[in-house]
């Protein structure tokens, strides 16, 4: 086998150690071989790609001739079979005949063999190699070098954390020094190294690392470490002085605080209401798997109610310290469709999707640099989408997945932990209290306020109960909850009766559910009529419910809910929201019978009406409360929408679409929005033509809002088609409101496509219709849009007139949000006409209105525009102050798109004040962040390239590295607000 060494000094030799010097002396042919072996996706590569990489400056025929000659030479030197072809247009290498260290490096990382990977990494890819006449190849090589260096550093930090977790200070220090060496100018890496050395007791090493870094900064850049780094060192020295100082009084030992520079802890795992019992062997098994380098996906498999979630939470809590970015818990029961898995993961990670790029790819990029344990609970109904998890473990080497499911996912890399019941008494010579199933029964009974005597007459029936339900935790809890009403013997008798009935009558129930069904049936039969009826009717809810919904839909008043809580059939969270365990909900759902249709109808009507009210709240500017309400009820709202679609309930869809539209648009859930609105469109389009008078208006509204989502994604042509369809229907049925809406959006599409006359015509017609309809809110919107168009076309007098008319109307209506938008527009019109004092006054007025509204989004926009005005006036200190405040407000509000705009604007004052490295950090962050839209990246590209040309390669690389894996929240924490100076 031929061995190709690309990491560090390049080498090529045969299995017996003979160096292939003739090929090493031919740089382009060696580079071609390296690309064929290393480039991803690995395999065959098209000839035209290779021509563009290596012979882009040559004429086509000459380039093809050069490629053919190179391939011929490679085959002659390496052997005919090493370089292979597929058809006439693809070339590759046979991995069974050519071993490449870069490929082995990536493979070792994928298996979790981090130390093995680092042994292979001897330096940058093709170190010292350069092809002056192959610019595209050099660009690819530069990206590969950075990618592999990043992965090597990440592996070293992971090993350092692992060694620190097992109290191996020397091992942790070794790997931390290796990691920091990969980025010698990265001050963040230095702080991480210093913090680790300090924690493991090597303060001398920490000080030496700092001094070496400071000396290099002084020698090479005439600079010094940042204040944050100096503060870290001073704190370490202060603690050392304190430790050496004489103690006047003895004190109890205290637990150490969090390490300086450690990442902020993520939200905690869900709190558990009772102590964890048993499962010692299972916990050890999960912990052992999570520590294996090669194990990235662990699935806890078992029947419903067996305790999968509880075990996963306990294991995750124990492993939390091993993951730099902590643990995230994602409940998947409310996720109705496998197509919504990516959206659910993004929501669980507090990740906001941007426009343009495929959401799954955005999420993978977000996870790529994380060291995180992701707990995915109740995955069984999403198994068909499990392939996405393999993409996660392939693309995010620091992420591990802990999944609970009723069935195996059956994907590559999965490690299974089958879960059975708790231990039940088998050996009568052992006290029954030692068995975890009995411990759980006793704990539940005690929590219910009853005392049972396991060593006396209650012992035998408790043992029989635990055996009958096979140690299933949920069944035991449900059985033990009855001790307030029945004796243990009576509970045992009831379960025995139910078990015989279940086995004899419910033939469709899987064998693995029968023990659980015994407990469920026992609880069901013993419920009073009112509670039993409410219990089954509550099964209509998905993802929990509020008290008013329970009474309106299921006819369950507060006293009934309290009764179900007492019997462990319902849980009430601290927020006041009620939830039923999914397995209980499924059992209750089977009892619905003929009532199911009526309940689904009531459920749909209730939540569509809720969406209608929230839509009105959003229209009146009450965004925060409305969006929170919709987000909390999204499981029920999805179910209601699907029911309305399936039954072609145009009235329900029409009432609810605006609220759902604004929520999806604000959250950036464009993929789910397209599915939801698209399914509704297809359903109504299939309605009989004679029904158009009833469905036409709804169909027109759905199409128009689908068009808006296409517009958000940058697909102007699809947006135009959908909006034109909407407009055609709206005109045909005489729906003037929807006609005006579609025309307004078509005007935006035409403007984006540079068709300004058409844009003006659409906007003017929309305005005329809205005036005829006497719809002042819509009129004000049209006036603003026309003003923006006039501004863009340079007609500032007309722009001012339109925006002033809009402002007057909005103030008359009390529309605070609209007033802020108009003030912003008028400020920019004033600024472009040289009226800077007026521009600032308009924006300060806008900021005052925004604060009176309590709108975080509008406050951020007002501060952003004040910063832009200060920039334009050359007041760079004030500009930086406003923009830093705007960025903090945008991040706090969750407005990631606006946050990107602010970051780009912030680079102008930074460059003016010679803070080039910091400006580069912000631009690199925007260009690398998955939430950045195309317009953001386009705006950031030019100043990025300009700064890159001004900075030294080392400073440039260090700036990019410092923000590579940061979140918006982490970046916001690193940007202190500057004093407001002009």
């Amino acid at each position: 086998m031929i061995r190709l060494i690309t990491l560090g000094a390049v080498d090529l030799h045969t299995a017996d150690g003979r160096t292939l010097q003739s090929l090493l002396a031919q740089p382009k042919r060696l580079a071609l071989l390296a690309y064929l072996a290393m480039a991803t996706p690995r395999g065959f590569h098209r000839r035209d790609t290779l021509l563009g990489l290596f012979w882009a400056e040559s004429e086509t025929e000459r380039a093809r001739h050069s490629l053919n000659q190179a391939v011929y030479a490679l085959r002659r030197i390496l052997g005919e079979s090493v370089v292979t072809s597929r058809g006439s247009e693809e070339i590759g290498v046979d991995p069974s005949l050519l071993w490449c260290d870069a490929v082995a490096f990536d493979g070792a990382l994928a298996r979790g063999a981090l130390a093995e990977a680092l042994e292979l990494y001897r330096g940058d890819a093709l170190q010292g190699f350069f092809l002056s006449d192959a610019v595209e190849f050099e660009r690819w090589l530069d990206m590969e070098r950075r990618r592999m260096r990043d992965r090597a550093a990440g592996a070293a930090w992971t090993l350092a954390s692992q060694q620190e977790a097992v109290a191996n200070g020397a091992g942790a220090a070794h790997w931390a020094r290796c990691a920091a060496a990969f980025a010698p100018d990265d001050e963040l890496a230095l702080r991480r190294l210093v913090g680790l050395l300090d924690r493991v007791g090597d303060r001398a090493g920490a000080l030496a690392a700092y001094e070496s870094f400071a000396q290099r900064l002084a020698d090479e850049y005439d600079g010094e470490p940042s204040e944050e780094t100096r503060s870290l060192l001073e704190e370490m020295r202060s603690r050392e002085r304190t430790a050496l100082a004489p103690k006047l009084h003895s004190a109890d030992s205290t637990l150490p605080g969090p390490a300086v520079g450690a990442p902020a802890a993520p939200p905690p795992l869900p709190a558990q209401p009772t102590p964890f019992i048993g499962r010692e062997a299972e916990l050890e098994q999960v912990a052992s798997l999570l520590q294996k380098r090669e194990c990235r996906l662990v699935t806890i498999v078992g029947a419903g109610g067996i305790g999968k979630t509880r075990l996963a939470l306990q294991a995750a809590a124990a492993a939390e310290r091993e993951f730099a970015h902590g643990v995230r818990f994602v409940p998947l029961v409310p996720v109705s469709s496998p197509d919504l898995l990516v959206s659910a993961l993004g929501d669980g990670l507090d990740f906001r999707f941007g426009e343009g790029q495929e959401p799954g790819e955005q999420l993978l990029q977000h996870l790529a640099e994380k060291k995180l344990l992701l707990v995915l609970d109740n995955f069984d109904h999403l198994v068909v989408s499990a392939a996405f998890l393999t993409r996660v473990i392939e693309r995010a080497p620091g992420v591990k997945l802990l999944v609970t499911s009723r069935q195996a996912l059956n994907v590559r890399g999965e490690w299974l932990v089958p879960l059975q019941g708790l231990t039940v008494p088998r050996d009568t010579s052992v006290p029954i209290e030692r068995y975890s199933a009995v411990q759980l029964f006793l704990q539940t009974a005690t929590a219910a306020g009853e005392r049972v005597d396991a060593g006396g007459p209650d012992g035998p029936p408790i043992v029989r109960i635990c055996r009958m339900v096979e140690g299933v935790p949920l069944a035991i809890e449900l059985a033990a909850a009855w001790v307030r009403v029945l004796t243990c013997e009576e509970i045992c008798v009831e379960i025995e009766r139910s078990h015989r009935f279940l086995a004899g009558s419910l033939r469709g129930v899987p064998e693995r559910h029968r023990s659980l069904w015994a407990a469920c049936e026992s609880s069901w039969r013993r419920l009073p009529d009112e509670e039993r009826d409410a219990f089954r009717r509550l099964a209509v809810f998905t993802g929990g419910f509020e008290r008013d919904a329970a009474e309106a839909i299921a006819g369950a008043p507060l006293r009934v809910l309290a009764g179900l809580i007492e019997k462990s059939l319902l849980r009430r969270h601290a927020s006041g929201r009620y939830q039923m365990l999914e397995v209980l909900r499924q059992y209750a759902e089977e009892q619905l019978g003929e009532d199911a249709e009526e309940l689904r109808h009531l459920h749909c009507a209730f939540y569509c009406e809720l969406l209608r009210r929230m839509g009105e709240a959003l229209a009146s500017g009450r965004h925060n409360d409305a969006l929170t309400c919709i987000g909390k009820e999204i499981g029920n709202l999805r179910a209601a929408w699907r029911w309305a679609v399936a039954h072609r309930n145009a009235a329900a869809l029409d009432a609810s679409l605006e609220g759902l539209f604004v929520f999806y648009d604000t959250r950036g859930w464009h993929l789910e929005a397209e599915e939801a609105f698209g399914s509704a469109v297809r359903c109504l389009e299939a309605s009989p033509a004679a029904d158009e008078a009833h469905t036409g208006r709804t169909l027109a509204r759905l199409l128009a809002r689908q068009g808006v989502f296409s517009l958000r994604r940058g697909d102007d042509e699809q947006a135009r088609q959908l909006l034109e369809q909407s407009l055609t229907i709206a005109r045909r049925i005489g729906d003037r409101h929807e006609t005006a809406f579609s025309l307004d959006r078509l005007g935006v599409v035409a403007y984006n496509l540079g068709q300004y006359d058409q844009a003006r015509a659409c906007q003017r017609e929309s305005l005329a219709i809205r005036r005829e309809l006497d719809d002042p809110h819509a009129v004000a919107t049209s006036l603003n849009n026309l003003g923006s168009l006039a501004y863009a076309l340079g007609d500032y007098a007309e722009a001012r007139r339109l925006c002033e008319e809009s402002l007057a109307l909005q103030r008359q209506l009390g529309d605070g949000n609209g007033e802020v938008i108009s003030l912003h527009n008028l400020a920019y019109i004033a600024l472009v006409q040289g009226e800077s004092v007026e521009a600032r006054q308009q924006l300060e007025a806008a900021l005052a209105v925004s604060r009176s509204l309590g709108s975080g989004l509008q406050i951020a926009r007002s501060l952003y525009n004040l910063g832009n005005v200060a920039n334009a006036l050359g007041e760079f200190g004030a500009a930086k102050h406003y923009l830093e405040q705007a960025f903090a407000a945008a991040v706090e509000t969750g407005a990631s798109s606006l946050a990107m705009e602010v970051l780009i604007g912030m680079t102008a004052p930074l460059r003016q004040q010679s803070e080039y490295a910091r400006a580069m950090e912000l631009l690199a962050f925007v260009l690398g962040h998955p939430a950045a839209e195309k317009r953001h990246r386009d705006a950031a590209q030019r100043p990025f390239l300009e700064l890159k040309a001004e900075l030294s390669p080392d400073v440039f690389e260090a700036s990019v590295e410092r923000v590579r894996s940061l979140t918006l929240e982490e970046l916001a924490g690193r940007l202190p607000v500057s004093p407001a100076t002009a």
Side-chain angles (χ1 to χ4, degrees):
M1 175 179 280
I2 307 295
R3 294 178 66 85
L4 173 61
I5 307 300
T6 63
L7 299 177
V10 183
D11 189 21
L12 183 68
H13 56 265
T14 60
D16 59 6
R18 179 172 55 88
T19 300
L20 299 176
Q21 194 62 48
S22 60
L23 188 53
L24 290 174
Q26 302 174 54
K28 185 163 289 190
R29 291 172 182 177
L30 180 63
L32 173 61
L33 177 64
Y35 181 84
L36 292 174
M38 296 168 59
T40 53
R42 295 188 172 113
F44 289 90
H45 306 276
R46 290 186 57 82
R47 284 178 177 267
D48 52 5
T49 299
L50 301 175
L51 295 177
L53 281 167
F54 294 100
W55 294 280
E57 302 302 320
S58 301
E59 295 179 357
T60 303
E61 288 305 315
R62 183 176 180 83
R64 283 189 171 274
H65 176 73
S66 297
L67 175 59
N68 291 336
Q69 288 292 103
V71 171
Y72 171 78
L74 290 176
R75 287 172 172 164
R76 180 172 52 80
I77 296 170
L78 303 174
E80 286 293 325
S81 301
V82 174
V83 178
T84 62
S85 299
R86 185 169 64 184
S88 60
E89 290 300 318
E90 291 183 309
I91 303 172
V93 295
D94 186 341
S96 67
L97 300 176
L98 178 77
W99 180 90
C100 177
D101 60 345
V103 177
F105 169 80
D106 283 333
L109 289 179
R111 299 194 315 273
L114 306 187
E116 178 185 331
L118 290 174
E119 285 182 12
L120 292 167
Y121 190 85
R122 301 177 181 88
D124 279 344
L126 303 182
Q127 195 170 63
F129 197 88
F130 179 71
L131 290 179
S132 60
D133 60 344
V135 175
E136 290 303 316
F137 170 77
E138 283 297 321
R139 184 175 288 115
W140 169 82
L141 181 57
D142 182 56
M143 289 190 297
E144 278 297 284
R145 285 168 173 164
R146 282 185 288 166
R147 180 186 71 84
M148 300 180 83
R149 193 185 309 129
D150 291 347
R151 298 199 73 190
W157 283 123
T158 299
L159 288 169
S161 299
Q162 290 174 351
Q163 294 301 306
E164 184 182 7
V166 297
N168 183 355
H174 166 73
W175 289 118
R177 286 190 172 96
C178 290
F182 290 124
D185 293 325
D186 185 346
E187 198 160 342
L188 189 61
L190 169 76
R191 288 200 295 271
R192 191 171 178 182
L193 171 63
V194 168
L196 183 141
L197 293 174
D198 181 26
R199 291 195 300 276
V200 301
D202 186 4
R203 291 192 175 88
L207 180 60
Y210 173 84
E211 295 292 352
S212 175
F213 181 84
Q215 189 63 49
R216 186 167 58 256
L217 280 186
D219 292 344
E220 298 182 14
Y221 307 113
D222 194 24
E224 62 179 3
S226 67
E227 177 62 33
E228 186 177 357
T229 303
R230 296 198 302 274
S231 297
L232 170 63
L233 192 72
E234 180 54 38
E235 181 174 340
M236 184 182 73
R237 285 169 167 164
S238 175
R239 279 188 278 106
E240 189 170 17
R241 288 193 296 269
T242 301
L244 294 174
K247 295 179 174 58
L248 299 179
H249 303 283
S250 62
D252 294 335
S253 62
T254 58
L255 292 173
V260 177
L269 292 165
Q272 300 306 301
T274 57
F276 185 78
I277 288 178
R279 302 291 195 200
E280 292 86 0
E282 293 91 338
L283 267 176
E284 184 177 350
Q285 182 182 4
V286 175
S288 175
L289 288 174
L290 290 176
Q291 289 174 0
K292 287 180 180 291
R293 292 191 297 261
E294 65 272 24
C295 177
R296 304 282 309 290
L297 168 59
V298 179
T299 305
I300 302 174
V301 182
I306 202 71
K308 301 184 294 293
T309 300
R310 195 67 192 273
L311 175 63
L313 289 171
Q314 193 74 11
E320 190 169 7
R321 287 188 59 192
E322 300 175 20
F323 295 86
H325 295 100
V327 177
R328 283 297 181 101
F329 178 81
V330 183
L332 296 174
V333 167
V335 182
S336 59
S337 166
D339 295 334
L340 304 181
L341 174 62
V342 171
S343 296
L345 294 178
D347 201 30
L349 290 162
D350 298 327
F351 174 74
R352 294 183 179 272
F353 295 98
E355 297 178 7
Q357 195 174 26
E358 190 262 325
E361 182 62 27
Q362 294 184 44
L363 190 62
L364 291 171
Q365 292 178 13
H366 173 69
L367 290 170
E369 300 300 326
K370 298 294 183 186
K371 181 171 170 51
L372 176 76
L373 177 61
L374 197 53
V375 183
L376 308 181
D377 191 42
N378 285 299
F379 201 95
D380 32 284
H381 62 301
L382 305 175
V383 165
V384 296
S385 62
F388 183 77
L389 302 188
T390 66
R391 295 175 64 192
V392 172
I393 61 178
E394 288 169 356
R395 296 277 299 278
V399 174
K400 292 198 175 189
L401 303 173
L402 181 58
V403 180
T404 71
S405 177
R406 297 187 187 186
Q407 64 184 89
L409 308 186
N410 290 323
V411 296
R412 182 165 44 84
E414 180 184 32
W415 296 65
L416 295 179
V417 179
L419 199 59
Q420 306 299 326
L422 296 171
T423 59
V424 298
R426 299 295 180 191
D427 184 356
T428 56
S429 65
V430 177
I432 65 172
E433 296 93 334
R434 293 188 183 179
Y435 291 91
S436 54
V438 175
Q439 292 170 12
L440 179 59
F441 188 98
L442 297 176
Q443 175 183 279
T444 306
T446 302
E450 296 294 327
R451 184 183 180 87
V452 295
D453 184 7
D458 291 331
I462 290 174
V463 170
R464 296 208 321 267
I465 290 169
C466 293
R467 287 177 178 173
M468 279 190 296
V469 300
E470 300 176 9
V472 174
L474 178 58
I476 293 170
E477 289 179 337
L478 291 169
W482 282 105
V483 295
R484 286 172 294 184
V485 180
L486 303 171
T487 66
C488 291
E489 182 64 36
E490 289 172 329
I491 294 171
C492 185
V493 170
E494 288 296 324
I495 294 177
E496 285 176 337
R497 288 174 180 169
S498 298
H499 189 278
R500 288 193 298 270
F501 170 78
L502 182 64
S505 301
L506 298 181
R507 301 186 186 279
V509 176
E511 184 66 29
R512 63 191 177 95
H513 282 176
R514 294 194 175 183
S515 295
L516 183 58
W517 245 246
C520 291
E521 180 67 18
S522 176
S523 297
W524 167 260
R525 291 182 63 249
R526 295 295 301 180
L527 285 174
D529 289 344
E530 188 178 27
E531 289 184 6
R532 182 188 302 165
D533 187 55
F535 175 60
R536 67 185 183 86
R537 293 170 72 88
L538 289 170
V540 75
F541 295 103
T542 301
F545 53 88
E546 301 287 344
R547 174 182 167 186
D548 61 337
E551 187 157 12
I553 299 170
L558 181 60
R559 69 177 184 282
V560 173
L561 297 178
L564 293 173
I565 290 173
E566 288 180 359
K567 297 175 179 66
S568 301
L569 295 173
L570 203 63
R571 293 182 179 179
R572 182 179 184 274
H573 295 282
S575 64
R577 190 168 178 80
Y578 297 87
Q579 193 156 22
M580 192 184 295
L581 287 171
E582 178 62 12
V583 67
L584 286 172
R585 192 198 68 78
Q586 292 174 7
Y587 177 85
E589 193 172 32
E590 288 195 3
Q591 318 307 318
L592 282 176
E594 296 179 355
D595 291 343
E597 186 81 10
E598 176 197 356
L599 277 170
R600 298 293 179 198
H601 176 74
L602 290 172
H603 180 273
C604 175
F606 181 92
Y607 284 105
C608 287
E609 170 60 19
L610 175 65
L611 269 174
R612 185 195 65 77
R613 297 199 311 272
M614 293 304 102
E616 290 180 350
L618 290 165
S620 64
R622 302 195 305 276
H623 282 72
N624 294 344
D625 291 343
L627 292 174
T628 299
C629 175
I630 295 174
K632 185 170 55 179
E633 295 290 359
I634 192 63
N636 286 310
L637 296 173
R638 286 167 174 156
W641 183 268
R642 289 195 304 272
W643 180 263
V645 169
H647 291 75
R648 296 180 182 176
N649 189 337
L653 293 172
D654 194 73
S656 55
L657 69 86
E658 194 64 27
L660 196 61
F661 164 71
V662 176
F663 174 78
Y664 279 144
D665 197 27
T666 304
R667 282 287 182 94
W669 294 3
H670 298 145
L671 183 65
E672 181 174 334
E674 286 187 331
E675 179 185 334
F677 281 79
S679 64
V681 165
R682 291 189 295 273
C683 161
L684 294 191
E685 285 180 334
S687 297
D691 197 32
E692 183 177 72
H694 182 61
T695 63
R697 176 177 184 272
T698 305
L699 181 58
R701 298 183 73 201
L702 289 166
L703 283 165
R705 282 142 191 85
Q706 250 197 306
V708 172
F709 283 119
S710 296
L711 191 62
R712 294 285 186 266
R713 292 189 298 102
D715 192 341
D716 294 308
E717 285 301 334
Q718 183 174 326
R720 187 203 291 276
Q721 292 175 17
L722 291 166
L723 288 163
E724 286 178 345
Q725 280 183 264
S726 172
L727 181 60
T728 299
I729 296 172
R731 289 192 193 278
R732 185 166 64 235
I733 65 176
D735 186 340
R736 303 286 281 164
H737 284 282
E738 204 54 40
T739 297
F741 181 89
S742 296
L743 283 167
D744 179 81
R745 296 295 91 193
L746 279 168
V748 176
V749 172
Y751 175 77
N752 287 348
L753 296 173
Q755 299 163 353
Y756 302 125
D757 290 340
Q758 184 178 347
R760 185 185 289 109
C762 288
Q763 297 285 7
R764 284 178 174 174
E765 185 179 356
S766 176
L767 175 60
I769 294 171
R770 286 168 167 173
R771 287 194 191 278
E772 290 174 15
L773 294 171
D774 193 22
D775 185 348
H777 283 283
V779 166
T781 299
S782 286
L783 288 168
N784 245 327
N785 288 343
L786 277 166
S788 297
L789 179 61
Y791 173 85
L793 294 173
D795 190 348
Y796 303 127
E798 177 68 0
R800 184 189 293 269
R801 184 189 67 78
L802 290 164
C803 291
E804 285 178 344
E805 184 180 351
S806 177
L807 177 62
L809 188 54
Q810 285 151 346
R811 283 175 168 166
Q812 180 183 337
L813 295 167
D815 181 0
N817 278 299
E819 181 180 353
V820 170
I821 293 171
S822 292
L823 286 167
H824 288 169
N825 289 344
L826 286 167
Y828 272 92
I829 294 167
L831 186 64
V832 80
Q833 293 183 307
E835 300 168 356
S836 56
V837 174
E838 180 184 344
R840 180 170 285 148
Q841 288 173 347
Q842 301 280 28
L843 290 174
E844 287 172 347
L847 180 59
V849 175
S850 300
R851 284 177 169 154
S852 70
L853 293 172
S855 171
L857 180 62
Q858 295 292 32
I859 290 170
R861 283 176 174 158
S862 298
L863 288 166
Y864 171 54
N865 286 328
L866 278 165
N868 287 339
V869 168
N871 260 336
L873 297 175
E875 300 171 357
F876 301 116
K880 188 160 64 170
H881 172 74
Y882 283 129
L883 292 169
E884 286 170 343
Q885 283 188 317
F887 180 66
V891 172
E892 184 178 355
T893 306
S896 56
S897 180
L898 177 59
M900 296 296 169
E901 293 181 42
V902 176
L903 287 175
I904 296 167
M906 206 183 296
T907 61
L910 290 173
R911 293 177 71 181
Q912 289 293 332
Q913 296 180 333
S914 300
E915 296 186 53
Y916 301 123
R918 189 175 171 198
M920 174 56 76
E921 288 181 14
L922 304 188
L923 293 169
F925 181 87
V926 171
L927 289 170
H929 199 280
E933 303 165 17
K934 182 178 182 299
R935 61 192 179 92
H936 298 137
R937 291 191 293 272
D938 289 345
Q941 188 65 36
R942 181 175 177 181
F944 177 84
L945 293 175
E946 291 173 352
L947 273 177
K948 183 178 180 181
E950 295 176 14
L951 295 173
S952 70
D954 288 343
V955 173
F956 166 74
E957 289 290 345
S959 298
V960 173
E961 288 302 313
R962 276 192 288 270
V963 296
R964 185 178 297 277
S965 60
L966 293 182
T967 65
L968 271 169
E969 292 74 16
E970 289 168 343
L971 183 64
R974 293 180 55 182
L975 294 179
V977 177
S978 304
T981 57

